[in-house]
Amino acid sequence: AQSVTQPDIHITVSEGASLELRCNYSYGATPYLFWYVQSPGQGLQLLLKYFSGDTLVQGIKGFEAEFKRSQSSFNLRKPSVHWSDAAEYFCAVEGAGSYQLTFGKGTKLSVIP
Amino acid sequence: DSGVTQTPKHLITATGQRVTLRCSPRSGDLSVYWYQQSLDQGLQFLIQYYNGEERAKGNILERFSAQQFPDLHSELNLSSLELGDSALYFCASSPSPSNEQFFGPGTRLTVL
């Protein structure tokens, strides 16, 4: 069965600082990988996805993520955080043919002005 | 706005009752997914439909059922409600299975 671990429950960064949110997955083959963001009281918005090809993927809002097969990781990064990035971030995997997303527990990001 | 609509936005009901949550997918999307988000379980996949047929089932309780209608909208029926069913229920849609999923704003269910 596939699983996702986001080891950081809560991260606080200063506005303008860089950000890295960690995600590790467990799956027998290369899964499809996603990062979603959820603002308070809102639904989930897709930030970026990895299906195959280039292991560094660019997303919306200046986010990027790097797939590292050897480490089973798909960490999310942003070079300079804005106050509006404060939200909860979810990493998700979909095993090929499983048709379902398995989510991590989420990382809550707080941004200090 | 993802283009996925869910009604109602909020629902408050009592234990033992039955409720129906409704989802309209994005125009052209054939796949509909249901997820439950609760504090203790996090985001969990419940069930998926593709063009009216059930395609995948996750941790969905027997008290819960869903269907997708010919116009592609979907309903999630929750019966014999318990306090622990209080959660945010999300619907998502995609053009086909294993495509990126677009999430609706969710229905917040409170069982008293």
Side-chain angles (χ1 to χ4, degrees):
Chain A
Q2 56 210 43
S3 66
V4 179
T5 301
Q6 292 180 249
D8 304 306
I9 296 173
H10 191 183
I11 283 183
T12 301
V13 300
S14 298
E15 192 168 16
S18 64
L19 172 70
E20 182 168 28
L21 301 183
R22 295 182 291 164
C23 172
N24 292 94
Y25 67 89
S26 173
Y27 183 66
T30 300
Y32 300 149
L33 296 160
F34 306 82
W35 274 99
Y36 283 87
V37 61
Q38 184 179 26
S39 299
Q42 304 292 316
L44 291 99
Q45 182 182 23
L46 180 68
L47 285 175
L48 47 78
K49 62 183 186 284
Y50 173 79
F51 284 0
S52 65
D54 193 349
T55 57
L56 184 64
V57 293
Q58 302 296 322
I60 62 171
K61 305 186 181 189
F63 285 93
E64 67 177 26
E66 186 172 11
F67 168 60
K68 292 186 177 179
R69 185 192 307 272
S70 61
Q71 297 175 21
S72 296
S73 69
F74 188 56
N75 294 347
L76 181 72
R77 301 194 293 248
K78 186 168 184 177
S80 178
V81 169
H82 188 261
W83 64 265
S84 60
D85 293 325
E88 190 150 21
Y89 292 79
F90 292 92
C91 180
V93 302
E94 179 185 331
S98 75
Y99 308 139
Q100 59 181 274
L101 290 173
T102 298
F103 285 88
K105 294 288 188 187
T107 297
K108 185 174 179 181
L109 174 67
S110 297
V111 180
I112 301 172
Chain B
D1 184 354
S2 67
V4 179
T5 59
Q6 289 187 247
T7 56
K9 206 167 183 176
H10 301 278
L11 199 48
I12 301 174
T13 188
T15 54
Q17 294 299 305
R18 173 189 168 96
V19 297
T20 297
L21 313 184
R22 183 187 168 101
C23 168
S24 293
R26 295 186 322 154
S27 176
D29 285 358
L30 299 179
S31 269
V32 169
Y33 311 75
W34 285 98
Y35 292 85
Q36 179 194 59
Q37 185 179 33
S38 61
L39 282 174
D40 51 346
Q41 299 290 328
L43 263 163
Q44 288 205 306
F45 168 76
L46 296 178
I47 198 163
Q48 184 226 352
Y49 282 82
Y50 175 72
N51 205 20
E53 292 189 9
E54 182 185 306
R55 275 294 178 96
K57 219 167 186 176
N59 297 323
I60 187 166
L61 300 171
E62 282 193 16
R63 300 184 285 109
F64 296 1
S65 65
Q67 53 184 328
Q68 186 180 27
F69 294 86
D71 67 352
L72 301 177
H73 91 272
S74 177
E75 292 180 357
L76 179 67
N77 299 296
L78 315 176
S79 62
S80 303
L81 285 167
E82 302 174 0
L83 295 177
D85 297 328
S86 295
L88 200 48
Y89 290 85
F90 286 110
C91 169
S93 74
S94 67
S96 61
S98 289
N99 237 308
E100 62 184 84
Q101 298 177 26
F102 295 86
F103 281 75
T107 292
R108 181 168 293 283
L109 173 67
T110 302
V111 182
L112 300 175

